[in-house]
Amino acid sequence: MNPISYNALQQQARRRAGMKLGWYLHASVYLCVNLGLMALALSQGRHWAIYPALGWGLGLMMHRLVVWLASPSSPVWQR
């Protein structure tokens, strides 16, 4: 078994933290924009805002899967 150096562990931790922070930023922007679109659509008596929310939500879900599951340093890959 090959021990990992402190610098390599620190670099890996920073990379994972950056990926998670990027997802949280993405989710925050998604929430703000879609709340605005929903308010705009409902003020006009329409329901079109669901389509961008669903499409972007799919992209957000894929981003989440990459960050939390598909990353080589996640616990799923270390079995």
Side-chain angles (χ1 to χ4, degrees):
M1 186 161 208
N2 186 11
I4 300 175
S5 72
Y6 175 76
N7 288 338
L9 283 175
Q10 188 175 25
Q11 182 181 12
Q12 184 180 25
R14 286 181 187 270
R15 182 176 167 268
R16 296 266 305 144
M19 289 172 64
K20 286 183 178 181
L21 183 62
W23 186 84
Y24 284 123
L25 180 63
H26 186 181
S28 298
V29 171
Y30 168 83
L31 186 64
C32 292
V33 168
N34 281 296
L35 284 175
L37 288 176
M38 202 66 75
L40 179 65
L42 293 177
S43 72
Q44 298 172 351
R46 308 233 184 229
H47 301 286
W48 54 262
I50 192 72
Y51 300 112
L54 289 175
W56 193 352
L58 180 63
L60 185 63
M61 183 182 70
M62 297 302 282
H63 188 180
R64 186 184 195 298
L65 289 174
V66 167
V67 170
W68 267 270
L69 294 178
S71 176
S73 60
S74 72
V76 173
W77 292 100
Q78 294 181 4
R79 292 181 184 169

